[in-house]
Amino acid sequence: MEISSQLNASSHTRVLRATPHRYDLIATDFILINLSFFLASLITYGVFDYDSVINGRNLALVVFVNIAWGWLCVYFDAYRWYERVRMEQQLSKVFKILIFLLSFTSLFYYNVLQEAPYTPFILLAHGLALILVSTGRVFHRLREESPFEKFRYVIVGGKAENLQQLFKAFDYCFPGSAEFVGRFGNTPHANVSNIGKYEELKSYLLSRPNIDKLIFFHSDLSLKEEREIMRICETQFIDVEVAPRETTLFPRTYKCQQLGDLSMLTLKEEPLMALRNKFIKRTFDIIVSSLVILFIFPILMPIVAIAIYREDPGPIFFRQERTGYRNNVFRMWKFRSMRINERANEKQATRGDDRITKVGAFLRRTSLDEFPQFINVFLGQMSVVGPRPHMVKHTEEYARIIDTFMIRHKVKPGVTGLAQINGYRGPTDEVWKMEKRVEYDVWYLENWSLLMDIRCVVMTVYNAIKGEENAL
């Protein structure tokens, strides 16, 4: 997970055997889109009259839908080779495209066909399209990961850390499809298959080895020798790629951008830096927090308030200063789960903590104590999903000992988060626990998508019902 975009180290990857599959995917998508409208017509109107399809009005709709789908796919770069990297990213992009297609199709009805779209038909068509195209993408991924699509590669040069980056990147981009043959270098690395030294590389390539790709890292070879090796590779139909050694300079994910004939590396911009993604996430937060405040909170509040007050009279809510977006401090709401004490703003709750009441233990175990934080979400101080906010004192402490700790404050803190659904919730009594939490948090902000937020919410509800060992 921590290497979410190391694939840029080999940004021009071309797997010859897999290339035709991209065109298969394009054709499959178009077939499934048209099939969706066909089935929607059949279900909505009960019959399907071929003659009605080819008349001017319906033919115009079919042509428009296909053109709009194709244009949106190009606009959203839906068929780039590295879209196979994450199925979640593919499905998120399909969802976005279909939302825009729904809007464009509705406008087409009003402005071209001069009639209002029949709501059941239009919604059913796009709903079926979402199901069928998403299913098609899943089957396409399974096909790409079949043993028939493997490619074999060798590495020339490189330090141990460079090789580990490459292995992780290929595992991430081509799970089960990339087979490492070995490495050429004068200094062998432990736990890496070393074929031979640099001077043995030419004879190895001329022996017509069964490899598909050769990857150059920094080596002791001269420029003349490297060019000779590239020429041999061309005659043997072996792809050659050059992985920049400068990638180890970057503390986290980076991207490659082309400036004329020069490739430049820079830190990758997080998805939530884009205005449209901020708008999508904020809209999701408002919708979810509004539903919770309007429909769940009025039922939950009286029951929890009575239970808290009966066991330990005092405030129902507990408000504490936490570190939020861009290191700004805000007051976070929770149902009070502890007896009133002077250490609340300094000491984390621990297992068997005598400050926690019986009602509080139940609230913490089921995560019900977190529900008032939806008020913070509605006010824009928090998000439904994001890194969990920490006490100001702990932020200062961990910022000194974990290099990437403050990066997590580039997004709003969340009621739940990726780290929490992966088991890293509760007290961080050991530094390694916080390091793993930060690792998940940084990966989240670098790879955010709306589907990821939805998945986190669903898993949080599931874990709350199932019960979690780390919940305190």
Side-chain angles (χ1 to χ4, degrees), residues 388-451:
R388 286 293 294 161
H390 293 285
M391 289 184 285
V392 177
K393 178 177 180 293
H394 290 156
T395 298
E396 294 171 353
E397 290 176 356
Y398 285 118
R400 287 194 294 268
I401 58 178
I402 301 176
D403 291 340
T404 56
F405 185 82
M406 294 307 295
I407 297 173
R408 63 202 297 277
H409 297 98
K410 294 183 74 173
V411 294
K412 292 180 182 178
V415 178
T416 185
L418 190 64
Q420 282 64 44
I421 68 169
N422 282 282
Y424 293 96
R425 60 165 295 182
T428 50
D429 48 342
E430 298 178 66
V431 175
W432 71 267
K433 293 181 180 179
M434 180 57 76
E435 288 175 337
K436 289 299 294 184
R437 183 181 290 187
V438 171
E439 184 180 312
Y440 275 105
D441 290 339
V442 172
W443 194 92
Y444 170 81
L445 71 92
E446 291 177 342
N447 298 275
W448 173 89
S449 70
L450 181 59
L451 283 177

Side-chain angles (χ1 to χ4, degrees), residues 155-159 183-189 195-205 216-222 225-226 229:
I155 295 173
V156 178
K159 297 180 179 180
R183 171 184 175 270
F184 283 90
N186 291 338
T187 304
H189 294 322
I195 301 175
K197 296 186 176 182
Y198 292 127
E199 59 264 24
E200 301 174 67
L201 177 57
K202 289 183 184 179
S203 59
Y204 175 82
L205 295 174
F216 268 116
F217 280 100
H218 178 69
S219 69
D220 295 335
L221 293 169
S222 66
E225 289 174 316
E226 289 179 342
I229 289 168

Side-chain angles (χ1 to χ4, degrees), residues 251-396:
R252 50 197 179 88
T253 55
Y254 56 89
K255 66 179 180 179
C256 179
Q257 56 186 8
Q258 199 72 22
L259 301 177
D261 293 331
L262 182 66
S263 295
M264 301 289 288
L265 299 177
T266 182
L267 278 172
K268 181 183 176 184
E269 186 179 70
E270 295 84 8
L272 286 172
M273 295 299 104
L275 183 60
R276 69 177 183 183
N277 289 335
K278 287 183 179 179
F279 175 78
I280 291 170
K281 187 169 178 62
R282 182 59 185 149
T283 301
F284 178 74
D285 289 342
I286 291 173
I287 291 172
V288 174
S289 60
S290 297
L291 291 174
V292 171
I293 292 170
L294 290 174
F295 298 105
I296 298 179
F297 212 62
I299 300 173
L300 185 66
M301 170 67 184
I303 300 173
V304 174
I306 293 171
I308 292 174
Y309 191 82
R310 285 191 63 182
E311 183 178 4
D312 186 51
I316 304 303
F317 296 106
F318 173 67
R319 296 185 66 193
Q320 185 180 63
E321 287 191 343
R322 297 287 179 105
T323 309
Y325 180 59
R326 291 189 174 274
N327 209 28
N328 292 317
V329 176
F330 72 102
R331 293 181 69 83
M332 188 182 77
W333 291 70
K334 295 182 73 171
F335 282 126
R336 184 169 63 88
S337 59
M338 291 184 176
R339 295 178 179 86
I340 299 173
N341 65 93
E342 296 179 354
R343 297 176 296 166
N345 292 319
E346 298 179 1
K347 183 181 177 182
Q348 279 186 326
T350 57
R351 192 171 299 279
D353 198 318
D354 59 4
R355 297 175 297 168
I356 301 176
T357 63
K358 292 180 180 178
V359 173
F362 173 78
L363 294 176
R364 284 172 171 268
R365 189 167 60 252
T366 57
S367 298
L368 292 176
D369 63 322
E370 312 285 2
F371 266 83
Q373 289 164 40
F374 285 101
I375 297 172
N376 295 111
V377 175
F378 187 79
L379 295 175
Q381 299 165 329
M382 292 180 65
S383 183
V384 175
V385 181
R388 286 293 294 161
H390 293 285
M391 289 184 285
V392 177
K393 178 177 180 293
H394 290 156
T395 298
E396 294 171 353

